Structures are given as structure tokens and as C-alpha cells.
């Protein structure tokens, strides 16, 4: 490590050098391409940071940039041969970092009716400033609606400030940086973890997605360590949904500790717990801060606040107190912290704020200056996953999804049973449709293949329509540590595509065998499988757009009825209506594809009409099968794109513009290197 300057100066074009921490572990690789140096993290546990921004993918570094790997930091040498100043970070800096909120304001716009009546935006945070140093356990108090959750969400990068800024080690950090910085752990009030898995299994998948451990044995040691830390060493193989509420929150905390975070933000993490469990959790938070981490906790329970190093008291969006727990009671002139909630009603927030500024605690706090950087930390550009990391995420997410489906095996059996039950109802209605009269067989065939197409869309759509909306909170949380949207959607498509293939196979084979449906069944299976994939994509798109599972299930039948109407299976389509059907209805192309597998005798069969007047064919000639399959494929891609875009909007555009993400992901998957 001492010769890093010489190594970088002598590094030749196309060559690379691996660097590590003072413990000797390999953390990152620096590569020279021409006159430019590039750095890539080697799946290290603590991550690699350039100018306090975590490295994702391959990132260019320039002379003067500060690189940090765990407890080791150095600067890239200048082009003129200047030295790279390196140093071992202080004990506190290796665990936590200086976190500052400077003059934060958060306004929420009034509703449409309020705006028409001249209503003004509502202020949630009103010029709040606070500095939290490494190793501090900070508690945030205040009545409901005082701005506590808004403040901690701003620190986590979930909420953008209207004014003011948040600084990391004196440098301004945007919400994008805060949200994607794996050194910052955020634990919301609700447990965000897959509860159908065991503790060890759930944490193993999270460790994989965080690129921790490297090997299965290393991950198991890491998981055992964090579970022991939160007091769940004996619960590794217990399903999370069988644990108590307090134990579930401990598992969620263990998941955050996997990445060895330097900042832990806790949004009412002790709510709903009994007093004994609440005390255990607060003591655990205190011990985490004692190790040098920065711990910020919102709580309504004053019984264990003496464990906090400092307390903030928010009132109507304003910080009216910042000091030690005993100073809080002295300032409000009460005998217990519980009494503060009653005492605050005696004066408005402005009066309390004025009193605090004139108090000894307030004057002491005002004397402490906060140094801020004149140059905000750069957000950088979207850094895609490498091809290997992308495929690994798809594999890990698909494996986890498969285990979750197996855990709910009763629902899985119901989904698989849908297709044969629908097929038997079709068979019971039509019986054998083979006939010596071509007109009768064509009419029955048209109705049967129409039902096959709509049933395929229904089965595949119902299997996927709730799969995103029910996991949205978990997905949004996991994007904080690098889970990308495309691997997530591909994991759904891969498993649900296999499920839909089984549904389609049982549906088609039952109908073909028992109704004597004519045509080439292998090509019909190909068309219906492609239709099922479109149905899965349709369900995922609806699931990504809908806010609740109930809304998603309400939208699906409406959309399917529209697709049925525009399929051409109920009435002949012409003009603009036919063009709309070709653009938006997969049922149109599916019916066209199945017609192409039938005999010419059925194509040309017509209903009898008046003498001398020609009648249109009942079924008609199907188009080229490859064109039908291509159209279905493009519609599946378009619907998957809609699902991706809807999820990106839900995240808030954390990972750059759609164009930049698409371009970067294409290069990662199909580019060189």
C-alpha cells in the first residue's frame, strides 16, 4: 500500500493493479486505458468510494480524486508526478461519518381543491439544522406530524428537500447519493423482508445481492455473526413469519448490518414492541453507536432515552431543542421526558425556539460552526452493473422468487389448476368439434381458439398481476444496495414464463385431445406460449402501475375484456379499429397465428348466404406465423418496458434518465469487457 503512487505511475496501458485495505484483503482494481485511470470494486464488503461516492461498475478517476477502501484512503497522483497522499483513517471515520443537515426546509403542495381556494404549501420541515458526529446515538422526539419521519427520510435520500442541504463529511450530498450509498442503512417502521423464508435464507439472498462474502461459507459466517449480534443466533432456520414482532425487526436490522453500515437510520424501529423488547433494542442501538457508527432513531417511547447521547425535539417542523437527555428535562422544566409532550402545548413553536436559542444549551450549540464544502459532491452518471453482476442478480432474484413460490405451494397449485379446469369447461360445452360439414367445424373452431387465447391471457395475467405491487416496498428498499429493475423484472418473467408454459400446455393438450381441435398442435403451443409471455408482461405492467393488489385485480378483467373485443374473434375488424387491434391487442396476433396452423378447407369455409352474394370466410387465412410471433414478442417487450418505467417513477428516478439507463445496460450486457 505504501508504494501505490509508484505502482500507478508505472502502470502501463491495458494493465491493472489490485489494491486493498490495511488488512491485506483485495478491495478494488485500477486499470489504465490510455491516459485515463479506471477503478472497479472487487465485490468488497465495505465498498470502494471515490470522493465519498460509492463505485458502481467501472468509474474513471482523475488526479486529485480521493479513494477510500475501508480504513485506507489515498489521493490519485497528479499527471506531473505529484505524490498520492495516503493515510489510515481514524477509528471513528472507519465506522461512521460526519452527517450534517443544513437549514433544511420541506414543503408539501396543497391539494388541487386547496390550491383553487388559494391554499399555500404546507411546511413539514422549517429551517432545521443539526450535525451528528461519528459514534453518536441521536434520538428524535416530537408529537405526530412534527416532521420526524420527513427528516430521517431526507437523511436516507428518500425525500428531497425543498431548501437546504445534507452534507457528508462537509460535502453536499444529493438525495441520489444518499439513497445509493451503501454506508447508510435505513430501517423503516414496517419490516421490509420476505417473511416466507427462514432467517438464514433471507439474509443469504440479501448478502448475495449486496455482493458480500464471496463464498457460501463466508456468507454463512457473516450471517451467523449478525444474527448473533441481534440476539437471534438460535433462530437461523426458523421461518421469519413464525417469529414475534420484535424478532422480525431484529432480522430486518441484521439484514442492514450485513453491509457493515456507518450510518443507521431507524424510523420508529421500536414501535409496537413490549417494554422489555424495546429496552433490548435501544441498548443494541446504543452499542452500535459505541462502535463508531452514527445511529439516528425516531421513537415515541421515553423510557430508554437516557441511552441516547443527544436528543432532538421537533415541534411543527422546527427543532426547538438539541442536547443531552437530562438537558431536555431542564429546558422544559419537567421531571420526566413524558412531561415534555404536555409542556410543549403551553407556547407555540416560535416561542420555544426563541427560548432554546437564548438558553445555555442553545448558545453552546450556536457556537459550534459547521464547515461546508463549496463544491457539492458530484452525482456522477449512471453506473450500470457489469454483465456478470447483471446475470448474477437475475439468478439470485429468480432463485429467491422460486423459493418464495414453493413456500406458498397452495397458491401455486391453484394457479396450475386454473388451466385444466378452464379446459374441461370448454370441453364440456363443445365436445368434439370435428365434423364433415366444414362450415360447422370452422364456426366451432373459431369459438374454441378464441376461448383458448383469452384463457391463456387470463391464466398468465392472474399469475403475475399481483407479483410486483405486493413486493414494491421491498424492491424500493433493495434498490438502495444495488438491486436493479431489469434483473428484478427478468426474474419474474423467467419463473412466471415457465409457470405459464405449464398452464398453456395443460390447457391446449386437454382441449386438443378432447375436442379434436384440428391443426398443428406444436405450432399452436408455440403461439399460445408467446401469448402467455405477453400475458405475464401485461400482468407485471398492471402490477407496477397499480398502488394495491385490489386495484391490480380490478384492472386486469377490464383490460382483458378490451383485448377480447379487439381480438377479431367476436366480430370482423376493419379500418382504424383493425389498426388499433394490431397495435395493442396480443389476442389479435394470437388468433391470427393459430389460424395459420389450420387446414385450407377451414380457411375457406363460409356461412350460407343469399344466392349470388359472396360471404366472407368464417375463419379466414392466417398471416405468416413468424410475423405473428414477432408481433407478440414486441408487445411483450413493450409491456415489460412499461413495467420498468412505472417502477422507475416509483423509485423517483434514482438511477438516472431512462435513456442513460437503457444505453448503459445495453453496453453492460452486449458490449465488450
Amino acid at each position: 500500500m505504501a508504494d501505490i503512487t509508484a505502482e500507478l505511475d508505472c502502470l502501463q496501458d491495458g494493465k491493472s493493479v489490485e489494491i486493498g485495505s490495511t488488512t491485506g484483503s483485495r478491495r478494488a482494481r485500477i486499470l489504465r486505458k490510455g491516459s485515463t485511470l479506471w477503478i472497479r470494486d472487487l465485490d468488497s464488503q465495505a465498498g470502494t468510494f471515490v470522493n465519498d461516492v460509492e463505485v458502481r461498475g467501472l468509474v474513471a478517476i482523475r488526479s486529485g480524486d480521493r479513494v477510500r477502501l475501508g480504513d485506507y484512503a489515498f489521493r490519485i497522483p497528479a499527471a506531473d508526478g505529484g505524490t498520492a497522499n495516503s493515510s489510515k483513517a481514524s477509528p471513528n471515520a472507519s465506522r461512521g461519518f460526519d452527517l450534517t443537515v443544513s437549514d433544511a426546509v420541506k414543503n408539501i403542495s396543497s391539494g388541487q381543491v386547496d390550491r383553487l381556494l388559494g391554499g399555500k404549501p404546507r411546511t413539514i420541515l422549517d429551517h432545521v439544522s443539526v450535525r451528528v458526529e461519528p459514534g453518536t446515538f441521536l434520538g428524535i422526539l416530537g408529537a405526530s406530524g412534527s416532521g420526524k419521519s420527513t427528516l430521517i427520510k431526507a437523511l436516507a435520500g428518500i425525500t428531497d428537500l425543498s431548501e437546504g442541504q445534507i452534507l457528508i463529511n462537509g460535502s453536499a450530498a444529493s438525495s441520489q447519493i444518499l439513497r445509493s450509498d451503501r454506508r447508510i442503512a435505513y430501517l423503516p417502521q414496517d419490516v421490509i423482508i420476505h417473511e416466507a423464508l427462514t432467517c438464514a435464507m433471507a439474509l443469504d439472498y440479501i448478502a448475495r445481492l449486496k455482493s458480500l462474502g464471496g463464498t457460501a461459507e463466508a456468507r454463512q459466517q457473516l450471517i451467523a455473526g449478525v444474527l448473533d449480534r441481534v440476539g437471534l443466533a438460535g433462530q437461523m432456520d426458523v421461518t421469519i413469519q413464525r417469529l414475534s414482532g420484535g424478532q422480525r425487526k431484529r432480522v430486518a436490522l441484521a439484514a442492514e448490518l450485513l453491509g457493515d453500515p456507518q450510518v443507521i437510520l431507524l424510523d420508529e424501529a421500536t414501535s409496537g414492541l413490549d417494554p422489555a423488547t424495546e429496552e433490548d433494542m435501544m441498548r443494541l442501538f446504543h452499542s452500535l453507536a459505541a462502535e463508531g457508527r452514527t445511529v439516528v432513531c425516531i421513537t415515541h417511547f421515553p423510557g430508554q432515552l437516557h441511552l441516547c447521547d443527544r436528543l432532538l425535539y421537533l415541534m411543527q417542523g422546527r427543532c426547538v431543542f438539541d442536547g443531552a437527555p437530562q438537558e431536555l428535562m431542564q429546558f422544559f422544566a419537567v421531571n420526566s421526558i413524558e412531561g415534555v409532550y404536555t409542556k410543549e402545548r403551553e407556547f407555540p413553536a416560535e416561542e420555544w425556539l426563541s427560548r432554546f436559542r437564548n438558553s445555555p444549551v442553545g448558545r453552546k450549540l450556536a457556537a459550534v460552526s459547521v464547515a461546508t464544502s463549496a463544491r457539492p459532491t458530484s452525482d456522477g452518471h449512471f453506473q450500470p452493473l457489469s454483465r456478470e453482476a447483471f446475470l448474477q442478480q437475475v439468478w439470485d432474484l429468480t432463485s429467491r422468487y422460486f423459493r418464495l413460490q414453493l413456500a406458498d405451494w397452495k397458491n401455486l397449485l391453484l394457479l396450475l389448476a386454473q388451466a385444466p379446469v378452464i379446459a374441461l369447461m370448454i370441453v364440456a360445452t363443445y365436445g368434439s368439434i370435428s365434423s364433415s360439414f366444414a362450415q360447422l367445424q370452422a364456426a366451432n373452431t373459431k369459438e374454441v381458439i378464441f376461448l383458448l387465447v383469452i384463457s391463456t391471457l387470463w391464466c398468465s395475467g392472474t399469475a403475475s398481476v399481483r407479483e410486483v405491487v405486493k413486493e414494491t416496498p421491498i424492491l424500493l428498499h433493495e434498490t438502495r444496495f444495488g438491486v436493479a429493475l431489469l434483473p428484478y423484472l427478468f426474474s419474474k418473467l423467467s419463473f412466471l414464463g415457465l409457470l405459464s408454459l405449464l398452464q398453456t400446455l395443460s390447457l391446449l393438450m386437454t382441449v386438443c385431445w378432447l375436442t379434436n381441435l384440428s391443426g398443428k398442435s406444436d405450432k399452436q403451443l408455440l403461439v399460445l406460449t408467446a401469448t402467455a409471455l405477453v400475458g405475464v408482461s401485461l400482468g407485471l405492467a398492471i402490477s407496477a402501475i397499480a398502488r394495491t393488489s385490489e386495484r391490480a385485480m380490478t384492472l386486469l378483467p377490464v383490460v382483458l375484456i378490451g383485448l377480447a373485443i379487439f381480438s377479431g374473434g367476436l366480430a370482423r375488424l376493419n379500418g382504424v379499429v383493425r389498426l388499433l387491434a394490431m397495435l395493442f391487442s396480443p389476442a389479435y396476433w394470437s388468433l391470427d397465428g393459430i389460424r395459420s396452423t389450420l387446414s385450407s378447407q377451414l380457411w375457406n369455409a363460409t356461412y350460407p348466404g343469399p344466392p349470388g352474394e359472396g360471404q366472407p370466410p368464417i375463419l379466414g387465412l392466417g398471416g405468416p406465423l413468424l410475423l405473428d410471433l414477432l408481433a407478440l414478442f414486441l408487445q411483450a417487450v413493450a409491456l415489460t418496458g412499461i413495467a420498468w418505467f412505472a417502477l422507475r417513477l416509483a423509485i423517483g428516478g434514482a438511477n438516472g434518465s431512462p435513456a442513460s439507463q437503457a444505453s448503459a445496460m445495453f453496453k453492460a450486457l452486449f458490449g465488450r469487457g
Side-chain angles (χ1 to χ4, degrees):
M1 296 298 296
D3 299 326
I4 184 64
T5 304
E7 289 189 65
L8 294 181
D9 285 339
C10 300
L11 195 61
Q12 299 179 357
D13 185 22
K15 301 296 183 180
S16 63
V17 59
E18 290 187 354
I19 55 178
S21 66
T22 55
T23 61
S25 59
R26 301 295 91 184
R27 295 293 187 91
R29 178 183 293 115
I30 294 182
L31 168 71
R32 181 179 292 278
K33 292 183 179 180
S35 60
T36 305
L37 291 173
W38 298 78
I39 189 169
R40 182 192 293 275
D41 181 66
L42 297 178
D43 294 333
S44 62
Q45 179 173 330
T48 300
F49 297 84
V50 176
N51 298 329
D52 285 325
V53 179
E54 186 175 8
V55 170
R56 301 278 181 84
L58 196 63
V59 177
I61 48 178
R62 300 167 179 82
S63 60
D65 282 348
R66 184 176 184 273
V67 179
R68 185 174 63 78
L69 302 91
D71 58 353
Y72 184 83
F74 64 92
R75 290 193 179 275
I76 299 301
D80 59 2
T83 61
N85 298 321
S86 61
S87 64
K88 185 177 180 184
S90 65
N92 276 345
S94 68
R95 280 293 187 186
F97 50 44
D98 192 288
L99 192 63
T100 302
V101 180
S102 177
D103 209 26
V105 176
K106 177 61 178 179
N107 297 321
I108 296 181
S109 300
S110 304
Q112 185 174 1
V113 175
D114 292 337
R115 286 196 297 269
L116 292 174
L117 296 176
K120 297 180 179 180
R122 187 162 61 97
T123 300
I124 305 300
L125 292 178
D126 192 353
H127 298 281
V128 174
S129 294
V130 60
R131 179 181 179 184
V132 191
E133 297 178 342
T136 300
F137 183 17
L138 176 68
I140 303 180
L141 301 176
S144 298
S146 59
K148 303 184 301 299
S149 291
T150 302
L151 176 59
I152 208 164
K153 287 179 179 179
L155 290 171
I158 298 172
T159 296
D160 293 320
L161 294 175
S162 304
E163 299 177 25
Q165 57 186 355
I166 296 174
L167 304 102
I168 299 176
N169 295 332
S171 296
S174 68
S175 59
Q176 177 181 334
I177 290 176
L178 294 168
R179 185 167 45 230
S180 60
D181 195 331
R182 287 192 291 179
R183 296 174 297 173
I184 301 176
Y186 169 67
L187 191 64
Q189 180 177 353
D190 297 325
V191 176
I192 300 182
I193 198 167
H194 288 99
E195 298 185 0
L197 302 176
T198 65
C199 296
M201 193 180 296
L203 295 185
D204 182 66
Y205 282 115
I206 292 175
R208 291 193 209 177
L209 295 172
K210 288 184 175 182
S211 300
L212 302 175
T215 64
E217 292 77 14
R219 285 196 304 273
Q220 288 305 309
Q221 292 179 0
L222 184 62
I223 292 167
V226 295
L227 285 176
D228 181 64
R229 182 62 196 276
V230 300
L232 293 176
Q235 310 292 330
M236 290 188 63
D237 298 323
V238 178
T239 305
I240 297 174
Q241 61 192 6
R242 294 173 53 192
L243 299 176
S244 66
Q247 289 175 323
R248 294 183 190 186
K249 292 193 175 184
R250 289 172 183 265
V251 175
L253 178 61
E256 297 303 316
L257 294 179
L258 279 173
D260 193 23
Q262 299 173 29
V263 174
I264 303 175
L265 306 174
L266 307 162
D267 190 351
E268 300 191 30
T270 59
S271 64
L273 303 181
D274 60 84
T277 304
E278 188 261 342
E279 179 181 357
D280 291 342
M281 293 290 284
M282 291 293 287
R283 291 190 180 278
L284 175 58
F285 302 153
H286 177 78
S287 66
L288 292 171
E291 296 174 355
R293 295 180 174 90
T294 302
V295 181
V296 182
C297 177
I298 295 175
T299 179
H300 288 291
F301 299 97
Q304 304 301 324
L305 289 178
H306 63 278
L307 296 171
C308 296
D309 301 304
R310 285 168 54 199
L311 295 177
L312 294 185
Y313 197 90
L314 299 185
M315 190 184 304
Q316 299 174 16
R318 299 182 179 182
C319 182
V320 300
F321 177 84
D322 182 357
Q326 61 271 20
E327 293 173 331
L328 175 67
M329 292 185 290
Q330 294 172 3
F331 173 71
F332 281 97
V334 294
N335 296 323
S336 64
I337 294 179
E338 292 93 330
V340 176
Y341 290 91
T342 303
K343 188 75 172 182
E344 75 164 69
R345 302 172 188 171
E346 294 184 1
F347 303 103
E350 296 85 352
E351 176 65 21
W352 283 117
L353 181 58
S354 176
R355 290 183 175 220
F356 175 70
R357 288 173 175 170
N358 294 323
S359 68
V361 180
R363 287 194 296 268
K364 180 177 67 175
L365 187 66
V368 180
S369 61
V370 177
T372 62
S373 171
R375 177 177 61 85
T377 302
S378 172
D379 286 357
H381 60 280
F382 171 65
Q383 300 173 11
L385 295 171
S386 65
R387 181 187 305 154
E388 296 77 11
F390 181 93
L391 296 176
Q392 186 63 46
Q393 268 200 19
V394 172
W395 172 257
D396 291 337
L397 290 168
T398 303
S399 174
R400 183 176 68 177
Y401 187 50
F402 180 76
R403 288 182 178 271
L404 288 169
Q405 294 300 308
L406 289 182
D408 192 8
W409 59 271
K410 292 182 180 179
N411 181 66
L412 187 60
L413 287 180
L414 287 175
L415 291 174
L416 289 171
Q418 276 192 107
V421 169
I422 293 174
L424 290 175
M425 288 191 289
I426 295 174
V427 171
T429 302
Y430 288 90
S432 176
I433 60 175
S434 179
S435 174
S436 57
F437 296 99
Q439 294 87 347
L440 178 61
Q441 184 173 352
N444 287 332
T445 299
K446 180 179 181 180
E447 294 176 4
V448 168
I449 63 175
F450 169 77
L451 291 174
L452 277 175
V453 169
I454 300 303
S455 299
T456 299
L457 289 172
W458 169 261
C459 291
S460 56
T462 53
S464 60
V465 75
R466 290 175 292 188
E467 295 306 292
V468 173
V469 66
K470 72 181 184 182
E471 288 187 347
T472 299
I474 296 178
L475 173 62
L476 298 187
H477 187 70
E478 290 184 344
T479 56
R480 295 181 60 85
F481 51 78
V483 172
L485 297 182
L486 280 179
Y488 175 79
L489 289 174
F490 285 175
S491 70
K492 301 291 184 186
L493 285 169
S494 58
F495 178 83
L496 293 172
L498 177 61
L499 176 64
S500 297
L501 174 61
L502 297 177
Q503 290 176 319
T504 301
L505 185 62
S506 62
L507 177 69
L508 179 63
M509 292 301 99
T510 302
V511 171
C512 282
W513 291 337
L514 299 181
T515 65
N516 295 314
L517 179 66
S518 64
K520 300 177 180 178
S521 58
D522 55 341
K523 293 184 178 179
Q524 291 171 354
L525 178 62
L526 183 62
V527 172
L528 288 180
T529 300
T531 306
L533 290 176
V534 179
V536 170
S537 302
L538 174 64
L540 293 177
I542 293 175
S543 190
I545 294 171
R547 297 290 183 90
T548 64
S549 296
E550 291 75 14
R551 291 184 185 180
M553 285 303 300
T554 301
L555 282 173
L556 180 63
V558 175
V559 173
L560 289 181
I561 290 173
L563 297 182
I565 293 173
F566 287 97
S567 66
L570 298 175
R572 197 167 302 277
L573 306 178
N574 297 294
V576 176
V577 175
R578 183 169 180 266
L579 178 60
L580 292 174
M582 295 172 67
L583 290 174
F584 301 110
S585 179
Y588 174 89
W589 296 103
S590 184
L591 283 173
D592 192 71
I594 294 180
R595 282 201 302 268
S596 68
T597 69
L598 303 176
S599 65
S600 58
Q601 181 183 6
L602 293 180
W603 288 343
N604 300 321
T606 62
Y607 290 114
E613 293 186 12
Q615 295 294 314
I618 298 172
L619 280 169
L621 176 65
L625 181 61
L626 288 179
L627 177 62
D628 298 319
L629 294 175
L630 177 61
L632 290 170
F633 172 76
L634 293 177
Q635 288 181 337
V637 171
L639 288 168
T640 304
I642 292 173
W644 172 82
F645 189 77
L647 287 175
R648 179 186 171 275
L649 290 179
I651 293 173
N655 295 324
S657 67
S660 67
Q661 287 196 56
S663 174
M665 192 62 68
F666 181 84
K667 291 178 181 179
L669 288 175
F670 305 109
R672 298 171 59 187

